[in-house]
Amino acid sequence: MLLAPAVGAAVQQVGAVLRTRTELSPRSRELAILTVAAHRRSRFEWEAHQGAALEAGLEVAQLQQILDGVIPDDLSEEDRCVVSTANELLTQGSLGDADYESALRILGEKRLAELIWLVGYYSMLAVALATLRPESS
C-alpha cells in the first residue's frame, strides 16, 4: 500500500469497514477470510487471521479442513453457507442461481452483499501480497 499511497489509503478504508462495520458475525468474517487465504495460498493472511478465527469459536480441526479445501461437516448452516459461497465466488467468479438463492435465504441480502465484498477485498490483498512480495508475507 506504500507503493501507491492514494490507492493504499482507500483500500485500507474499505478493509476497516469490512472488519468493523458489517452485519457479518466475527465467526462468519473469519471463516470467509480464511477460505480466501486457503484458496489463494496466502500464508500472511492465514497467519494474520487464524488467531481471530479461534477467538471467534472455530476449532483447530475446522481450520485445518478449510486449509485443506474441505468444508467442515460440523459447521452450522450459516457457517457452511459462508464457506461454500466464498468457495464458489473464488472458483467460479460468481454464484449460480440456486446457490445465490440459498445464500440469500440463509444470510439475507445485506450480509450476502457484505460477504461478496469481503471475499473480493481479501482476494485483492492476497493477489497484491503474492505479486509484490513484501518481506513480511
Side-chain angles (χ1 to χ4, degrees), residues 47-101:
E47 291 175 1
H49 287 272
Q50 186 175 12
L54 294 170
E55 287 178 20
L58 292 160
E59 298 172 11
V60 171
Q62 292 170 318
L63 299 186
Q64 184 60 53
Q65 288 177 302
I66 290 169
L67 186 59
D68 294 339
V70 175
I71 299 174
D73 288 330
D74 56 349
L75 293 177
S76 69
E77 179 184 43
E78 183 173 321
D79 289 349
R80 285 187 71 74
C81 177
V82 166
V83 175
S84 65
T85 298
N87 276 329
E88 187 167 349
L89 291 169
L90 292 161
T91 58
Q92 303 301 316
S94 184
L95 295 176
D97 292 343
D99 291 325
Y100 176 83
E101 291 300 324

Side-chain angles (χ1 to χ4, degrees), residues 104-124:
L104 188 61
R105 178 184 56 78
I106 294 167
L107 299 174
E109 189 172 51
K110 185 173 183 181
R111 287 190 304 153
L112 176 56
E114 292 170 345
L115 176 60
I116 293 165
W117 286 113
L118 184 82
V119 169
Y121 172 80
Y122 279 95
S123 292
M124 176 183 61

Side-chain angles (χ1 to χ4, degrees), residues 25-35 49-50 52-53 56 58:
S25 70
R27 184 179 173 99
S28 291
R29 186 177 54 250
E30 296 306 325
L31 276 168
I33 293 167
L34 290 180
T35 300
H49 287 272
Q50 186 175 12
L58 292 160

